[in-house]
Amino acid sequence: RANQDKPNLLFIIADQLRYDFLSCYGAPFIDTPNIDRIADEGILYEQAYSPHPVCVSARVALLTGLDIVKTGVTNNGQFLRPDHNEMGMPTWPQMLAAEGYHTSSIGKMHFYPWDDAYGFAHRVICEDKRWLRIEDDYLNFLKHHGHRKYHGNEHTGYQENRGAVISLLPWELYWFRFVGREAVKFLASYDQKNPFAAMVSFPGPHCPYDPTNEFVNLFDEADMPLSIPEVEGHHPKLRHINIESNKQPWNGVDYTEFNESHKRKIRAHYAAMVAQIDHEVGEILKVLEEKNILDNTLIVFTSDHGDSLGDHNLIGKGTF
């Protein structure tokens, strides 16, 4: 078809988002009206699974449509080989660019090297919340406003609350707000005749569980669902690996003692970050309506994988 007849494509991805923290999937303790709208006006998948429960492996699968048997990317320390095109592993932005789409990526990509394009003609980079030294667009934005990327351990109560803290950043400078604002800016100013294929990638609700105050106050820890209990003696090595991994400098939290009070606080903070993302999804939908292109834009909302949040006495991800 002629380029003007092709729909715009908008791929919104959250980082480490559980389906059961969205009201469209029946969560009674949270309201996510904007994400719900995408579900209500489209298709809600009830049996969709991440092929790889760890960030980079899952994201490379999403980028190429291939699993780790083909890509060889089995963990967060690997990425696509430099000759991936010659090996028959082009990325979807490369393929769509060849079909006349203007490709854009805004937010977290988890690329190695982090500033490579991988087929995206336009990029605004706000990398992983744990990649504090990357001098991306978000870091430059923070510097301009007298801030920087803060490690979780710089926040009050970080260890005591097992990573659940209040961000040192105000909402207007927060990670998700920056990504949402840049997405709106791109969509509002887009005036090319070719359709766009954009990926908007929020670097959360990945830990640290550090929302801003105005969103934390929306949630009561007592309303959070109880964790699924650990089956005693069933996987002691798995729990040991989980504890030791999270003690490393990237996180620096010791989960040896991990009680239900810790888990409820973490879940309330996690819910607050989900609400922050939902707010920005609303801003994105609003600008699409204002430009009268919502009906000609195919929107996909997903995540790379979930977060245990204390289920089975585990935190984070890495297992199915």
Side-chain angles (χ1 to χ4, degrees), residues 178-199:
F178 173 81
V179 172
R181 187 187 298 114
E182 289 297 322
V184 167
K185 188 186 302 182
F186 167 79
L187 295 169
S189 63
Y190 191 76
D191 59 359
Q192 299 187 34
K193 64 179 181 180
N194 285 3
F196 63 77
M199 178 157 67

Side-chain angles (χ1 to χ4, degrees), residues 167-218:
S167 179
L168 292 172
L169 296 168
W171 168 238
E172 285 303 314
L173 303 183
Y174 193 75
W175 305 74
F176 312 160
R177 183 72 173 131
F178 173 81
V179 172
R181 187 187 298 114
E182 289 297 322
V184 167
K185 188 186 302 182
F186 167 79
L187 295 169
S189 63
Y190 191 76
D191 59 359
Q192 299 187 34
K193 64 179 181 180
N194 285 3
F196 63 77
M199 178 157 67
V200 177
S201 181
F202 293 99
H206 194 290
C207 68
Y209 308 106
D210 63 343
T212 56
N213 246 328
E214 55 266 60
F215 286 88
V216 170
N217 292 335
L218 298 175

